Amino acid sequence: MSRAYRDVRVGEELPELSIPLTRTMIVATALASRDYQDVHHDPSLAAERGSKDVFMNILTSNGLVDRYVTEWAGPAAVVKKIKIRLGAPNYPGDTMVMTGSVTAKDDSGRSVEIAVKGVNAIGPHVTGTVVVQLPEGSEG
Amino acid sequence: MSAEDYEARLQAWVGRELVAERRGQDPVNVPMIRHWAEAMADANPVYLDDEAAKATGRPGIVAPASMVQAWTMRGYAATVNPVDDGSSAGFDELVALLAEGGYTSVVATDSEFEFQRELVPGDHISVSETVESISPEKKTGLGTGRFVSTMKTYRDQNGEVVATQRWRTLRFVPADKPKPRAKRPRPAINADNAFWFEAAREHRLVIQRCSACESLRHPPGPCCPVCGSFEWDTVESTGEGTVYSYVVAHHPRHPAFDYPLLIAVIELPEGTRLTANLTGVAPEDVEIGMPVSLEWLDADPDLTLPVFRPAVPKKED
């Protein structure tokens, strides 16, 4: 069930993933990442600080990019790099649609680079690249 | 202090430690991994199922790579009630220096993780942070600011580096956004008067005319008050009128208007009258009968209204 390095080709696209951004999910992920900043769970304090509502924290953006790529790569994949640029906030009620494609392969470390994008109704929330190390053959 | 001095003081931070090494409250553990995996809806079995992890060649379960930062978060109590243990003295000092330059707002722009190895339950992670670079002042959509790049280094209980994270924030001078002005109250538009407001949007001042007896009428209505006919068309006014009457409104004040507010009944040469604001004239200079000319006020994308300005006297030569 894990993806093998030799079966991956550059240009290959990852299946699209839609993530509903519920208020509960935004709060639960902030707390699961031990981020207690009020803008991630308290709507009135978020508004006081100039935000229209609570919004997703950065640790969660990283976590969802991690999840998206490893769901495709399979459990044997080892994550080596996650580089993200942040854009439009993820507000409750929105949906983030994640897409990705394989941009490079490196035989020496059996590593695969995937370009990832997560877009919500406002625009790109996150753009970046992930590098994972994959097993050689089908034993994984 | 000169700009050069300030720049030098900022650049002196490059390479300096911002946050001294600080150990996470708890070692890597299964309950926190479960909490994370459930919230992220991450079903990768290697995080919670020892057998599944072993099947991938690992000695047992591992923590999600992206979770490394979570192991070093300070937690609830320290967030709501920060205790100064001296570890972030550098950070506080740099924030104060940036505030001195007016860069009081902050937004994170980039996070770049590199992972040296996977974490397993029992690992105890600590983090320290040093300044990598502080950019020259740049103009951004949020305001003028500087990008501050730092490097967070995550180490295990043996002092070995397990991950690094380049962290970039924009420290900026918040741009002054002019507050959008309140919109004028909406007119009550219905099937009988919509034509008049639609013509106004095209900058045409129209007057309803009875098709049967040719009487003009305003405000618009469904039937002719003279002959009772429901048939009508319109004529366009020249827009040259006179002040028939007026009032000066002082209170109550609506935020869409400037006060004192001149509200006049304008008599049009065609014979009808309409209510409109006067513009370009002080209340004390308004006189009954004074000639006025039509102007258009595009109040907002949905509302255009006629206003009247004192007419420029025609030169007699």
Side-chain angles (χ1 to χ4, degrees):
Chain A
M1 55 193 265
S2 276
R3 207 161 286 272
Y5 177 75
R6 64 175 177 222
D7 297 336
V8 173
R9 54 182 179 77
V10 172
E12 184 172 345
E13 295 203 349
L14 278 63
E16 188 178 290
L17 175 67
S18 280
I19 301 178
L21 307 170
T22 66
R23 186 173 296 276
T24 301
M25 179 264 207
I26 285 169
V27 175
T29 48
L31 300 192
S33 52
R34 293 182 59 69
D35 187 341
Y36 294 92
Q37 289 190 69
D38 48 39
V39 290
H40 304 310
H41 63 260
D42 188 322
S44 54
L45 286 178
E48 241 174 66
R49 300 189 200 293
S51 175
K52 73 165 191 176
D53 203 336
V54 298
F55 54 92
M56 180 178 284
N57 70 336
I58 298 166
L59 285 85
T60 301
S61 307
N62 270 313
L64 294 176
V65 166
D66 188 345
R67 168 195 157 193
Y68 176 59
V69 170
T70 52
E71 270 181 8
W72 167 82
V78 176
V79 178
K80 307 302 279 184
K81 294 178 186 176
I82 300 175
K83 301 189 176 189
I84 60 169
R85 168 150 297 179
L86 296 152
N90 269 345
Y91 291 118
D94 205 342
T95 299
M96 179 167 70
V97 177
M98 304 204 67
T99 53
S101 62
V102 176
T103 46
K105 287 182 72 176
D106 179 2
D107 293 349
S108 65
R110 295 193 316 277
S111 66
V112 172
E113 183 190 82
I114 300 113
V116 178
K117 191 177 253 191
V119 178
N120 62 31
I122 312 168
H125 166 71
V126 59
T127 48
T129 56
V130 177
V131 174
V132 290
Q133 187 175 54
L134 295 180
E136 184 61 61
S138 54
E139 77 277 6
Chain B
M1 185 189 63
S2 73
E4 288 78 16
D5 288 342
Y6 183 68
E7 189 67 38
R9 284 168 67 207
L10 274 182
Q11 295 309 323
W13 274 92
V14 174
R16 268 184 70 180
E17 188 176 75
L18 205 56
V19 182
E21 185 149 30
R22 192 183 63 216
R23 209 171 192 214
Q25 287 177 304
D26 290 295
V28 175
N29 63 84
V30 174
M32 275 175 63
I33 295 175
R34 185 186 312 284
H35 196 180
W36 172 284
E38 283 188 359
M40 301 290 164
D42 193 329
N44 192 335
V46 301
Y47 302 145
L48 291 166
D49 180 340
D50 216 43
E51 291 310 309
K54 283 176 177 156
T56 64
R58 294 173 170 98
I61 63 166
V62 295
S66 52
M67 202 180 164
V68 65
Q69 194 179 355
W71 301 115
T72 61
M73 295 292 276
R74 55 190 176 164
Y76 176 71
T79 301
V80 298
N81 225 340
V83 179
D84 186 8
D85 60 357
S87 67
S88 55
F91 180 81
D92 296 340
E93 205 183 314
L94 178 57
V95 166
L97 180 58
L98 287 161
E100 197 181 307
Y103 312 111
T104 51
S105 293
V106 60
V107 62
T109 61
D110 299 84
S111 158
E112 300 179 356
F113 274 124
E114 293 195 21
F115 306 101
Q116 314 305 317
R117 72 163 173 91
E118 294 185 305
L119 303 187
V120 298
D123 279 331
H124 206 153
I125 308 305
S126 59
V127 65
S128 60
E129 186 172 6
T130 54
V131 178
E132 264 199 347
S133 66
I134 299 174
S135 83
E137 191 172 272
K138 302 205 165 163
K139 283 197 162 62
T140 76
L142 292 169
T144 304
R146 293 173 183 265
F147 289 95
V148 178
S149 288
T150 65
M151 183 64 88
K152 297 187 195 209
T153 303
Y154 298 91
R155 290 187 164 83
D156 65 13
Q157 56 281 8
N158 303 315
E160 299 291 328
V161 176
V162 293
T164 56
Q165 182 181 22
R166 178 170 293 116
W167 183 251
R168 195 169 293 122
T169 54
L170 172 66
R171 299 268 169 182
F172 63 101
V173 182
D176 291 330
K177 281 186 192 157
K179 266 198 171 174
R181 181 147 203 191
K183 283 185 172 182
R184 286 185 166 235
R186 302 293 92 177
I189 295 175
N190 57 41
D192 292 321
N193 65 15
F195 76 94
W196 190 88
F197 289 98
E198 280 160 21
R201 271 207 289 276
E202 297 164 5
H203 290 188
R204 293 187 299 113
L205 181 60
V206 295
I207 305 168
Q208 202 173 20
R209 176 173 65 181
C210 173
S211 305
C213 73
E214 300 201 334
S215 300
L216 299 178
R217 64 180 188 261
H218 188 85
C223 89
C224 177
V226 177
C227 75
S229 169
F230 283 88
E231 301 302 317
W232 56 269
D233 59 10
T234 61
V235 294
E236 195 168 331
S237 169
T238 63
E240 300 301 322
T242 54
V243 174
Y244 181 79
S245 182
Y246 70 99
V247 293
V248 184
H250 298 277
H251 289 284
R253 295 197 166 199
H254 186 286
F257 299 105
D258 292 318
Y259 290 85
L261 178 64
L262 280 165
I263 304 155
V265 175
I266 307 296
E267 186 157 71
L268 295 172
E270 292 81 4
T272 57
R273 298 174 193 142
L274 80 160
T275 307
N277 289 134
L278 291 178
T279 188
V281 59
E284 58 271 25
D285 296 332
V286 180
E287 285 174 27
I288 302 294
M290 75 189 283
V292 287
S293 299
L294 170 67
E295 258 184 35
W296 289 102
L297 172 69
D298 293 309
D300 57 63
D302 300 318
L303 184 64
T304 296
L305 292 170
V307 293
F308 287 83
R309 181 186 288 275
V312 180
K314 277 176 188 153
K315 277 185 185 169
E316 292 179 29
D317 53 6

